[in-house]
Amino acid sequence: MTRTPPTATELALAAEVSCCGLSVTPHQLERWRAKRWLAPTDQWTEPATSALRPDIVHRAAWLAALSRPGRGISWIGWTFWAIDATEPTAALLRQALIRTIQLPLHRAGITLAQIPQGDSDAAFEARQDLAERLLQGRRAIGRDLDGLLRTHAGTAGIALPEPRTVSNPFDAALIRIGARLLTGGTADVSSEELTEAWRSVWTGPPEQLDRITAAHLAADHTGADLHAISPLAHGLPDLVHALEQVDAHLLCEAVRACTKASSTLMKLLLERADAGMLTVLTDDVMWDQWVRAGGLAPAGRLGEAAITLSTVQYLLVPGWAEDLHRYQDRMDRLMAAPTTSAPDNRVR
């Protein structure tokens, strides 16, 4: 098939990108436009001067730097959709998030329509069976980021703040409860079961877990349900519905905030991992509420799942968005702080 010859504007953009030490082909520009990572060609230039817009050159240079033969750019493409925040890009973003959040079901050969609703014994048993299917073939994660970091920090002689919650948020006991929450919500998991699962891996102050348990018991006596604030209060079907209905601009705002935070965190840990920085990061509730449970987002499906989880919490958990913005400010200050040259103050 004969390709259309590149336009003068495409050649000009390719030349500007080459000035950045990168290369781009007309075919790549065509693909990026089709993916809506790059604006249509008629939007590349300034109307008054016909000069290429600096933001278009910057975007094309970023895409050229990220592109690798045979590999996608993963959730970075979501970032571009969220930044542009047009009706088409918001729709693509919504589709990507909904597709990602349903991956556990798809891998188990389950659809949302197969999850029965209602509180009958038959519906409950069917949801329990579906939860077991979700767990089949799942690889256990023996230690999470916090455990690995503490091991390396200890080797380097760095004393980090004591753990404040569980030893591993991906422990099998918690994952088993999580599978039941996906299929049936908090109605299918009793407070006692949830507390027992947490207690089996709890490494924080014992009195803290006791306070959480007492708060739930007190709420039960008054008819309140503290689990209702969970994004999974009514299972995955309601969570998907929430993503379908959320305002497009708010959705884009959430993804912009979560992808920026994950990028900043990754840069800090890779480039600035000294004792002072690690102490500041770990001595914050967001270390447990975000960093350990999806803050790091590598390229690929694992990273896409992490960004999706963060976005869901940003949109649906009261106070979580404010905490993330506060943590972002803290990370920005760490990025701007002078680096230390002491070689024994680094975590390798």
Side-chain angles (χ1 to χ4, degrees), residues 8-20:
T9 306
E10 290 175 328
L11 292 174
L13 181 57
E16 287 292 333
V17 171
S18 69
C19 292
C20 303

Side-chain angles (χ1 to χ4, degrees), residues 81-294:
W81 291 338
I83 289 171
D84 292 342
T86 64
E87 186 175 332
T89 63
L92 288 168
L93 190 56
R94 195 185 306 273
Q95 293 167 14
L97 291 167
I98 291 173
R99 180 180 63 250
T100 300
I101 208 165
Q102 293 186 77
L103 276 178
L105 266 66
H106 291 167
R107 288 171 179 161
I110 302 170
T111 66
L112 285 179
Q114 291 177 274
I115 300 177
Q117 303 301 306
D119 58 0
S120 69
D121 289 345
F124 174 78
E125 292 297 333
R127 290 193 295 267
Q128 300 300 293
D129 290 341
L130 292 175
E132 287 298 321
R133 283 177 57 183
L134 288 177
L135 296 171
Q136 291 174 5
R138 186 187 181 277
R139 183 174 61 86
I141 300 176
R143 184 181 294 176
D144 75 323
L145 166 70
D146 189 72
L148 292 170
L149 184 62
R150 288 180 184 280
T151 296
H152 289 294
T155 302
I158 299 173
L160 296 178
E162 291 298 316
R164 59 168 56 84
T165 57
V166 298
S167 58
N168 183 359
F170 306 104
D171 183 86
L174 298 181
I175 293 299
R176 183 167 293 278
I177 292 291
R180 293 170 59 191
L181 291 173
L182 280 177
T183 58
T186 54
D188 281 4
V189 180
S190 69
S191 296
E192 292 78 11
E193 289 176 304
L194 190 57
T195 299
E196 183 181 346
W198 277 79
R199 195 176 296 279
S200 68
V201 291
W202 189 263
T203 55
E207 61 273 13
Q208 183 178 344
L209 185 59
D210 292 338
R211 285 196 298 269
I212 295 173
T213 302
H216 281 284
L217 289 173
D220 287 341
H221 286 307
T222 62
D225 183 7
L226 296 184
H227 294 309
I229 64 174
S230 167
L232 287 173
H234 302 289
L236 192 58
D238 260 33
L239 186 51
V240 170
H241 181 69
L243 288 176
E244 290 172 341
Q245 298 300 315
V246 69
D247 176 77
H249 290 291
L250 180 57
L251 184 71
C252 291
E253 173 194 311
V255 173
R256 286 196 301 270
C258 294
T259 53
K260 178 182 178 182
S262 288
S263 298
T264 307
L265 175 65
M266 185 74 78
K267 190 173 181 64
L268 273 173
L269 293 177
L270 290 177
E271 300 177 7
R272 308 290 293 272
D274 59 49
M277 183 273 284
L278 290 173
T279 299
V280 171
L281 287 181
T282 56
D283 193 25
D284 191 294
V285 295
M286 285 303 280
W287 180 262
D288 294 291
Q289 294 180 11
W290 174 62
V291 177
R292 296 180 66 194

